[in-house]
Every structure is written in structure tokens, then in C-alpha cells.
Amino acid sequence: MFMTTDPENFKAMLATQFNDFSIGRRYQILSPVIGDSIFTLDGEGWKHSRAMLRPQFVREQVGHVQALEPHLQLLAKHIRSYKGETVDLQQLFTKFTLDTATEFLFGQSVHTLYDERIGMKTPDDVPYAKDFTDGLFITQKYTSERGYAQQFYWLIDGKEFRTAIANVHKFARFYVDRALNFSQAELEKKSQESYTFLYELVQQTRDPKVLQDQLLAIMLAGRDTTSSLLSFIFYELSRNPGIWEKLKKEVYENFGSGTEKDIAKITFESLKKCNYVKWVINETLRMYPTVPVNLRVSNKDTSLPKGGGEDGKSPIFIPRGTTVGFRVYSTQRNKEYYGEDPDVFRPERWADIGKLGWAYLPFLGGPRTCIGQQFALTEAGYILVRIAQLFPNLKSKNSVHYPPKKTLNVIFNLFEGCLVEMGE
Ligand code: HEM
């Protein structure tokens, strides 16, 4: 196995020599859950999936931030219920992104934020919601272990995994079948009311297995990643009062304090104009790239531009079937690209950082770059703005230990959670 942190090698694997590399065993590892989908396929199958899903990620669709507001209100209710005591935002963001992702993808939220704590009963009229939620957590635990086991992925299997998969599929299939049974007029009416991925995708394919696989793949790729980003954002903001003040100033100048009229001002376009919000998100993804380590496997004898020769600056031979791991985490903390203080959270560095090219890759790059990048950045921006409006007082309650302990199950999370005290 080779490991690399060199941007030139990233560029080669992900773009200029894209066809020399595959995603390795991802199909075997993940296909029991997400089948034949954009995330598991290589070659023509992947191309076809990407072309089918691409139109759903254009600006009009990813800009539907207002759909987040009812869920954000529930999140705020939870935060208030702690009455200034310590709250773990990471746990709340995990539920929040599950609720918003199920609504956006399937047209039905599983409402995990509804609970006794905020005096609301979990709705019992959402078919298979509980089985799905529990099943999803179990399948994710298994699939990340299968990922680490690589060629021994098949050892990590069993009844618990298979039952969880069946429960996840039961939920997905129920909503897919429901959508397939809507008349064209019903679908059009629903489309006008709000944006649901599934209702748009059935206009392109009516194959229930394809719909199920692609929706679950997007769920897997998009949910935990967004909640991880949000958790690290608030971890750093709560430790850095000066940065939090600057951010709030920009938010209030652009979006006021959060009246109904103010909320309507928060859009894809207006968020893009908020430099400091952007820098905070960029800086978080630099220091805590959600997918810090990744891999590709060569599908023929080939080479990479850096790593060979005495000084490692010459090209290196990569035989067919070799795993090449790449760590954007290390590159994004390298002084060569980020100056003398790469381990300091300093959003201002983005003011004059110049061209980074392949040294900044939280969403990767090339043909397989994250398809949900704009979607994720818009969602994170919206939540950041709304929380700044609703809870101007923010204080870290994490242990003083820095850098924070992290867990890595394919994606990064905070080991202790994101512990904060918040007030209005
Ligand atoms: C902070 C949030 C996110 C981060 C950091 C992130 C990062 C990534 C990365 C690194 C990849 C490349 C994986 C690889 O090929 O090895 C990827 C792919 C992908 N992402 Fe994201 N992602 C995020 C949010 C989202 C969201 C919100 C969605 C959808 C709603 C999404 C959908 C996808 C899909 C479908 C792929 C596979 C693309 C392909 O293989 O062609 N992601 N993402």
C-alpha cells in the first residue's frame, strides 16, 4: 500500500489519471445496504448514476433552505430545554440531519427530534420510522468496520447487520412505492408545494430498486458529513469568543436578528455573499475534513508524479491492484500551503490565501467530486446564521484538551461531543 499527502498525486488520481484508478472494494463493502448506486459503482454504472442525479443538485434545488426552518425550531426547543446547562450539539445535529435528510429525500421526515424532553410525542403515524432509524445506525457501524477490514470485509456480517439492512430497505421501499403510485397530477402538485428528491427522480426512472439504492446512497453520503461539519464549527466557535463576535456581526448586518422577514432573506445567493460565514466553514473543513483519509486502487500498471527517487520528488511506479491511501487531513495542516500556524483556527487566513489548488480538498475534486457540496454549504450556512440569531450566547464546555479527541468511522466526529452552554 502507498500513502500520499502530495497535492500533485491527489490531482493525478482524482482528475488527470482518473481512469487509472477505481474506488476499490467499496462495492462489496457497501452494496448490501446501498446496492448499485453513485457511491458504489465505477465505470459506466457510476457515469450513468451521476448523470441521472446531477440535475437534482442545481442551484434551484439546493437553495430550498426554508424547508429547514421547522426542524431548526425543534432543535432550538431542545437547546432551550437545557436552560443554559451543558448541551451536546453533536447529538442534536445527528438527529437534525436525519430528520431533514429523510424529508428532503423521501418526502417524509422520521422526526427523531420529537421527544419527551421537549414535551412532544414521536409521531406514530410514520411507517417504519423507528426501525429505519435504528437500522441505519447499525448498518453504518457495520459498513465502516467493513471498510477498515478491506479484503476481509466479508468477516463483518451476521444476523444483526442483515436485520438492520432489511429494516432500512423496508422504510425506503415503502416511500418509493408510495411515490410510484402517485398520479402525474399528484406528483406535480407535490413538486409545487416543496422539493422532494424522490418525487423528481421518479420522473427519470420508475425502477424501484434504482430509486431505493440511489436515495440511500445520498443519505449515506450526505447526512453524517453535514452533522460532523456543524459539530466542528460550533466546537471551534464556542472556544473562540472573538471569532463568534465577528461572525454574529456579519449575520446581524446581513440578516437582522431573526424576525420572519429576516429569515426569508437567508438564501443560497445571500449566504454566498457572507465572507466571514464562508471563511468559518472553510476553516472548519480545513482543520477537520469530514473524510480525512480516503483511498483509490490502481486498475492498471501506472505511476504517480511524486514519491519516487531518493528525495521522493520523482514519479513513482504503481503496479496494478495497488491501494493508494491519501490523507487530505495532513495536507490541509501543512505549513507549506497554510503558513506558519496551520494548527490554529483562524478564519481570516482565507482573506488572502491565494490559489490552493489540490491542497484543499474537503469535497475532493475531479469527476467524482462531492455532488452535494453546494447543498451542504448552503445548509451549514443557514443553520449557522439561524443559531447565531437565536442563541447569541455561546460557551464551550468541552474539556480544555486541545486539539480535541476525535473518532473516525470513515468520517470524523468529536469524541466528547460538542459540549456547549447556550443562551438567548
Ligand atoms: C460537509 C458535508 C460534506 C462533505 C465534507 C462531503 C464530502 C464528500 C467527499 C470527500 C466525497 C468523495 C468520496 C469519494 O469519492 O471517495 C463525496 C462524495 C459524494 N457526496 Fe458528499 N460531502 C458532504 C455532503 C454531501 C451532501 C449534503 C450530499 C447530498 C445531499 C452529498 C452527496 C455525495 C454523493 C452522492 C457523493 C458521491 C459522488 C460520486 O461518487 O460521484 N455529500 N462527498
Side-chain angles (χ1 to χ4, degrees):
M1 178 175 187
F2 290 78
M3 283 300 291
T4 181
T5 61
D6 194 305
E8 280 199 47
N9 287 345
F10 297 167
K11 182 177 170 186
M13 276 190 293
L14 301 172
T16 47
Q17 290 167 237
F18 180 75
N19 290 325
D20 295 358
F21 293 90
S22 76
I23 53 171
R25 294 188 185 81
R26 206 188 286 172
Y27 185 82
Q28 291 94 316
I29 290 161
L30 291 173
S31 63
V33 187
I34 58 172
D36 297 347
S37 58
I38 183 167
F39 212 68
T40 49
L41 296 174
D42 264 314
E44 285 306 311
W46 164 75
K47 253 192 210 156
H48 178 72
S49 299
R50 182 114 186 163
M52 179 166 73
L53 300 177
R54 188 86 202 98
Q56 309 302 332
F57 285 96
V58 296
R59 170 187 297 216
E60 292 75 45
Q61 327 292 35
V62 302
H64 277 231
V65 282
Q66 270 71 28
L68 300 169
E69 187 58 30
H71 301 281
L72 188 102
Q73 289 297 337
L74 288 179
L75 183 87
K77 239 180 173 174
H78 271 276
I79 295 172
R80 282 189 202 107
S81 79
Y82 285 85
K83 299 192 171 74
E85 296 285 308
T86 303
V87 46
D88 181 0
L89 281 182
Q90 183 166 271
Q91 246 183 42
L92 290 179
F93 286 142
T94 305
K95 292 183 174 185
F96 175 86
T97 50
L98 183 58
D99 289 0
T100 53
T102 42
E103 183 167 283
F104 162 73
L105 290 168
F106 295 99
Q108 173 63 61
S109 172
V110 286
H111 292 311
T112 54
L113 279 173
Y114 279 61
D115 66 19
E116 305 288 310
R117 186 171 180 98
I118 54 167
M120 296 176 84
K121 228 173 116 291
T122 317
D124 47 17
D125 58 348
V126 182
Y128 310 118
K130 173 91 173 69
D131 283 351
F132 175 75
T133 309
D134 295 346
L136 201 66
F137 285 107
I138 296 170
T139 54
Q140 281 180 333
K141 179 172 95 72
Y142 274 83
T143 48
S144 70
E145 282 173 16
R146 283 160 74 91
Y148 286 115
Q150 283 296 306
Q151 69 265 41
F152 301 113
Y153 71 89
W154 47 273
L155 285 169
I156 296 152
D157 207 326
K159 191 158 180 279
E160 187 188 44
F161 183 41
R162 296 288 153 171
T163 308
I165 294 172
N167 284 334
V168 168
H169 287 176
K170 202 165 56 184
F171 173 91
R173 194 54 176 261
F174 177 84
Y175 291 98
V176 164
D177 288 344
R178 190 176 74 160
L180 288 171
N181 285 325
F182 285 146
S183 66
Q184 190 57 30
E186 279 173 306
L187 277 176
E188 273 165 26
K189 186 163 168 277
K190 284 189 175 294
S191 261
Q192 276 158 15
E193 283 163 15
S194 68
Y195 179 81
T196 300
F197 206 96
L198 173 60
Y199 303 156
E200 305 302 321
L201 209 56
V202 292
Q203 312 281 3
Q204 294 195 49
T205 172
R206 298 194 60 83
D207 181 333
K209 175 76 167 53
V210 172
L211 291 164
Q212 172 182 309
D213 290 349
Q214 302 289 12
L215 287 178
L216 288 175
I218 295 167
M219 177 97 187
L220 181 105
R223 187 185 68 89
D224 272 2
T225 40
T226 308
S227 98
S228 156
L229 166 61
L230 287 168
S231 304
F232 281 106
I233 290 178
F234 281 93
Y235 171 82
E236 283 293 349
L237 288 176
S238 63
R239 295 184 68 256
N240 290 288
I243 297 175
W244 179 230
E245 287 307 317
K246 266 194 182 171
L247 181 109
K248 281 192 295 185
K249 188 163 173 285
E250 186 180 72
V251 167
Y252 301 152
E253 273 168 18
N254 284 276
F255 304 114
S257 58
T259 62
E260 233 173 82
K261 246 171 123 192
D262 292 338
I263 299 174
K265 286 188 223 151
I266 316 171
T267 62
F268 178 84
E269 283 79 17
S270 60
L271 282 168
K272 280 213 141 191
K273 290 185 198 131
C274 292
N275 277 337
Y276 207 71
V277 169
K278 264 195 303 200
W279 295 349
V280 164
I281 296 175
N282 284 355
E283 184 70 345
T284 308
L285 286 168
R286 180 187 73 77
M287 287 185 70
Y288 309 103
T290 319
V291 187
V293 194
N294 207 325
L295 62 82
R296 290 292 189 260
V297 177
S298 53
N299 51 31
K300 63 185 223 199
D301 283 354
T302 183
S303 64
L304 283 173
K306 290 285 154 67
E310 294 269 297
D311 57 3
K313 290 189 177 147
S314 304
I316 188 165
F317 176 60
I318 307 285
R320 179 172 189 266
T322 305
T323 299
V324 184
F326 56 102
R327 274 161 52 105
V328 299
Y329 178 84
S330 307
T331 313
Q332 293 181 180
R333 286 186 183 233
N334 189 332
K335 286 187 184 169
E336 199 181 318
Y337 314 110
Y338 291 95
E340 281 310 303
D341 60 351
D343 293 322
V344 178
F345 186 81
R346 190 169 62 80
E348 288 72 14
R349 79 174 72 247
W350 292 89
D352 50 14
I353 202 152
K355 223 170 157 10
L356 286 165
W358 295 79
Y360 182 68
L361 284 191
F363 296 98
L364 295 195
R368 239 185 146 135
T369 194
C370 174
I371 205 171
Q373 175 170 352
Q374 291 309 324
F375 185 96
L377 294 175
T378 312
E379 178 162 351
Y382 185 84
I383 294 159
L384 187 48
V385 168
R386 291 294 290 127
I387 290 185
Q389 288 174 328
L390 290 168
F391 300 101
N393 295 312
L394 175 71
K395 203 164 127 200
S396 173
K397 296 306 277 181
N398 274 107
S399 58
V400 290
H401 182 78
Y402 192 82
K405 279 195 201 168
K406 298 171 276 296
T407 59
L408 181 56
N409 290 313
V410 182
I411 69 155
F412 253 167
N413 268 306
L414 282 152
F415 179 79
E416 273 186 355
C418 175
L419 306 179
V420 292
E421 267 179 21
M422 295 173 91
E424 292 173 75

